[in-house]
C-alpha cells in the first residue's frame, strides 16, 4: 500500500513523539507498505527509512502551513496517487483528496480548556479542525477519552469509522529487557 503521511504539524510536543514512533515502527508491522512523509522544509523530524518530502512554508507559519498543505501537498498527492492519506493532526488540507483521508486525534484540549489557548489559536483550530472533521473518512484516536470527546463535541463525526490506537501501545514490545544489578 502506498501511504502519504502528513507530518507537517509534528514539530514538537506529543504529536512529534507520536509521529516518531509511528514512522520508526511502521515497517516492522507493514514492511510491504511504501510511506511518503510530508514535512516542513528544514524539519528535524526523523522520517526513518521512508521517502521524505519537504514543503516550503511561507511566513507566518500558522497561515503558510495550511496553504502548503492545500496546494503543494495536493500536487504531490496527485503525482503519487496513494491508497490513503494519513493526517497526523486534524489540521491538514482544506481540500478533499480523491482517496481516503484518515486523521489522528490526540486531544481536544483547545475546546475543553480554552483558557489555555489564545483567541487566535482557538479560531484557527476551530476552522481547520472543523474542515478536517468534515473531510475525514476515518479517525484514529490515541485514547478512548479523545474519541469520546470528539464524538461529544462534534456529533457528526459519530458516523465516520473510528478506532482507538492507544498512544504508547505501539512501541512497548520494543523496550529492552530489565537488567538486574
Amino acid at each position: 500500500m502506498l501511504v502519504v503521511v502528513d507530518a507537517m504539524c509534528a514539530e514538537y510536543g506529543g504529536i512529534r513523539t507520536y509521529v516518531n514512533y509511528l514512522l520508526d515502527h511502521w515497517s516492522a508491522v507493514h514492511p510491504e507498505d511504501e510511506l511518503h512523509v510530508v514535512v516542513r522544509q528544514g524539519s528535524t523530524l526523523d522520517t526513518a527509512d521512508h521517502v521524505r518530502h519537504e514543503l516550503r512554508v511561507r511566513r507566518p507559519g500558522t497561515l503558510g502551513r495550511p496553504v502548503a498543505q492545500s496546494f503543494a501537498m495536493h500536487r504531490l498527492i496527485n503525482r503519487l496517487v496513494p491508497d490513503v492519506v494519513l493526517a497526523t493532526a486534524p489540521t491538514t488540507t482544506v481540500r478533499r483528496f480523491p482517496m481516503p483521508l484518515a486523521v489522528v486525534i490526540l486531544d481536544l484540549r483547545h475546546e475543553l480548556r480554552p483558557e489555555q489557548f489564545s483567541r487566535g489559536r482557538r479560531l484557527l483550530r476551530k476552522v481547520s479542525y472543523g474542515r478536517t472533521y468534515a473531510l475525514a473518512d476515518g479517525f484514529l484516536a490515541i485514547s478512548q477519552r479523545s474519541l469520546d470527546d470528539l464524538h461529544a463535541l462534534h456529533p457528526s463525526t459519530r458516523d465516520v469509522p473510528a478506532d482507538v490506537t492507544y498512544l504508547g501501545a505501539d512501541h512497548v514490545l520494543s523496550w529492552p529487557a530489565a537488567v538486574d544489578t
Side-chain angles (χ1 to χ4, degrees), residues 77-154:
I77 285 167
N78 287 335
R79 185 171 48 95
L80 295 173
V81 190
D83 297 294
V84 66
V85 175
L86 174 63
T88 59
T91 178
T92 186
T93 182
V94 296
R95 298 171 60 198
R96 184 168 297 284
F97 294 122
M99 65 284 305
L101 171 65
V103 179
V104 174
I105 304 297
L106 273 83
D107 63 52
L108 284 88
R109 189 171 58 109
H110 65 286
E111 292 184 68
L112 298 170
R113 307 258 188 293
E115 69 279 1
Q116 296 177 353
F117 294 82
S118 70
R119 186 180 354 215
R121 180 69 62 180
R122 287 192 319 268
L123 177 62
L124 183 64
R125 286 191 179 191
K126 180 179 181 174
V127 171
S128 65
Y129 282 34
R131 179 65 179 155
T132 300
Y133 297 156
L135 294 174
D137 297 294
F139 295 107
L140 298 171
I142 65 158
S143 70
Q144 189 62 51
R145 165 70 192 265
S146 293
L147 186 58
D148 292 346
D149 289 345
L150 176 68
H151 289 164
L153 295 168
H154 302 276

Side-chain angles (χ1 to χ4, degrees), residues 22-120:
L22 176 78
L23 298 177
D24 207 29
H25 292 86
W26 190 294
S27 294
V29 179
H30 292 287
E32 72 282 3
D33 288 351
E34 179 182 334
L35 263 65
H36 289 254
V37 184
V38 181
V39 296
R40 292 174 184 240
Q41 188 175 42
S43 173
T44 59
L45 180 72
D46 180 7
T47 55
D49 58 347
H50 307 295
V51 180
R52 179 184 184 98
H53 301 274
E54 294 192 12
L55 299 185
R56 182 170 173 231
V57 174
R58 295 183 186 269
R59 295 189 180 264
T62 53
L63 298 175
R65 182 189 36 75
V67 169
Q69 288 168 302
S70 294
F71 294 97
M73 194 166 77
H74 261 268
R75 286 191 297 275
L76 176 68
I77 285 167
N78 287 335
R79 185 171 48 95
L80 295 173
V81 190
D83 297 294
V84 66
V85 175
L86 174 63
T88 59
T91 178
T92 186
T93 182
V94 296
R95 298 171 60 198
R96 184 168 297 284
F97 294 122
M99 65 284 305
L101 171 65
V103 179
V104 174
I105 304 297
L106 273 83
D107 63 52
L108 284 88
R109 189 171 58 109
H110 65 286
E111 292 184 68
L112 298 170
R113 307 258 188 293
E115 69 279 1
Q116 296 177 353
F117 294 82
S118 70
R119 186 180 354 215

Side-chain angles (χ1 to χ4, degrees), residues 12-23:
Y12 57 88
I15 185 64
R16 185 181 178 108
T17 301
Y18 177 86
V19 173
N20 272 330
Y21 279 107
L22 176 78
L23 298 177

